[in-house]
Amino acid sequence: MYRFLLTPRWWGINVFVVLAIPFCIFMGSWQLGRFEDRVQDHETASTQHESARREAARPLTELLPVDKATVGRQTTVTGRYDDQLLVPERKLDDREGFYVLSLLRTDGGKALPVVRGWLPGAPDPAKAPAPPTGEVTVTGALQAAESPGGNGVSSRSGWPAGQAGAISAATLLNLVPYDVYDAWVTLNEGDSGMRAVPVSAPQNTGLDLKAFQNLGYTAEWFAFVGFVIFMWFRLLRREVELVRDAELGLVAQDGEDGASGETGESGDNADGEKTNGAEADGAGADGAKAGLVS
């Protein structure tokens, strides 16, 4: 009954199933691993931020370049404030506002972006307090350069003069005439009455939309495994039913049913016509006999 499994058609189906199932399992496991990595990164970043607050501040040069191990660490830098920019469309406690970003020129000539605080409302240079003059030493949490479109950063371009959409060297180099560190610092305490900007985790380290996309892809790949197995059993059952029907003679051969039906109808008609003719001959003979008798 199962000899059909050795046909070329079923060889192709079986090979496809044998290859598809482990591939789907591998892809589902990989996506699940990606989700678990993001969860671990989120937990690590949260723990790191808590411990970094209790650590002693270190010089900026010891923490560069910024990575997952150094982001959020306390750093101290000495220099003089120069240009000041506003960073619009930044929320704090679900309120719309803007960052006040001041560029701290260090002894080496490079400038470090320092977020001195957050103010509510639309960005207005008149609302932003001027930075302190003279040489200052700032202490705050080190942050990685921002990318437009990530971690709540606007992807817009063409900001008005005196504003910047993202805090990064690539963005600020077009706005100031000196080199800028590809990192920034948020002060532990807001300057001049402004609210301090909390430390944010680096990109791809939180339970964001991408993390839950990985979890959704995991479910899809494992669902494909069940679908492939279901379709294989359905095709097998259908093929077995066809074989059984053929063995029981329930599968009609081409042209047999129609021909037998037409033959049966013509036979009945022929028999009927013959019967009627015989009855007519008998009635005629009876009539002739009656005439002779009379």
Side-chain angles (χ1 to χ4, degrees):
M1 179 179 296
Y2 293 96
R3 292 178 182 175
F4 60 85
L5 292 173
L6 301 178
T7 61
R9 172 172 171 267
W10 272 93
W11 267 107
I13 293 174
N14 293 333
V15 169
F16 171 78
V17 171
V18 169
L19 295 178
I21 291 177
F23 176 76
C24 292
I25 293 176
F26 169 78
M27 292 301 297
S29 301
W30 180 76
Q31 291 288 351
L32 181 60
R34 292 285 295 166
F35 173 75
E36 292 176 345
D37 290 342
R38 291 180 184 276
V39 172
Q40 183 63 40
D41 288 344
H42 175 71
E43 294 176 351
T44 301
S46 300
T47 304
Q48 180 175 307
H49 293 163
E50 292 297 328
S51 61
R53 286 286 248 174
R54 298 188 293 268
E55 293 180 356
R58 297 166 58 186
L60 176 65
T61 54
E62 296 181 7
L63 300 176
L64 295 178
V66 184
D67 55 21
K68 292 181 180 180
T70 59
V71 68
R73 299 289 182 182
Q74 292 291 302
T75 185
T76 179
V77 188
T78 300
R80 295 174 179 271
Y81 282 118
D82 199 324
D83 294 279
Q84 181 162 284
L85 301 169
L86 306 182
V87 185
E89 298 184 5
R90 297 305 175 100
K91 288 186 177 181
L92 188 60
D93 296 336
D94 294 329
R95 295 178 62 192
E96 193 72 36
F98 60 95
Y99 292 169
V100 177
L101 176 68
S102 301
L103 295 170
L104 184 71
R105 298 287 299 273
T106 62
D107 294 338
K110 246 182 175 182
L112 175 67
V114 177
V115 174
R116 297 170 46 233
W118 174 90
L119 290 173
D124 185 358
K127 296 180 182 179
T133 59
E135 187 175 80
V136 295
T137 298
V138 300
T139 301
L142 187 63
Q143 296 282 266
E146 297 180 334
S147 298
N151 278 15
V153 180
S154 175
S155 58
R156 283 179 50 190
S157 59
W159 294 98
Q163 296 184 18
I167 308 175
S168 66
T171 301
L172 299 176
L173 283 175
N174 299 321
L175 303 176
V176 295
Y178 38 80
D179 292 336
V180 179
Y181 285 103
D182 198 25
W184 57 284
V185 168
T186 174
L187 298 183
N188 295 330
E189 297 181 2
D191 192 7
S192 302
M194 295 183 290
R195 291 189 59 182
V197 175
V199 178
S200 60
Q203 294 188 18
N204 300 324
T205 60
L207 297 179
D208 53 7
L209 179 60
K210 289 184 179 180
F212 290 102
Q213 282 180 342
N214 291 133
L215 188 60
Y217 293 150
T218 299
E220 288 182 1
W221 282 113
F222 286 127
F224 288 156
V225 174
F227 178 75
V228 169
I229 296 175
F230 168 76
M231 289 302 299
W232 186 86
F233 275 105
R234 183 175 181 181
L235 290 174
L236 179 67
R237 180 180 177 184
R238 181 187 176 200
E239 198 77 23
V240 170
E241 290 176 350
L242 290 175
V243 171
R244 287 177 179 173
D245 291 345
E247 291 177 351
L248 295 175
L250 301 178
V251 178
Q253 301 295 329
D254 294 341
E256 282 190 2
D257 289 348
S260 62
E262 293 177 357
T263 304
E265 290 177 0
S266 61
D268 292 340
N269 292 337
D271 292 343
E273 290 176 359
K274 289 178 181 180
T275 302
N276 293 336
E279 291 175 356
D281 291 343
D286 293 339
K289 290 180 181 179
L292 292 176
V293 172
S294 61

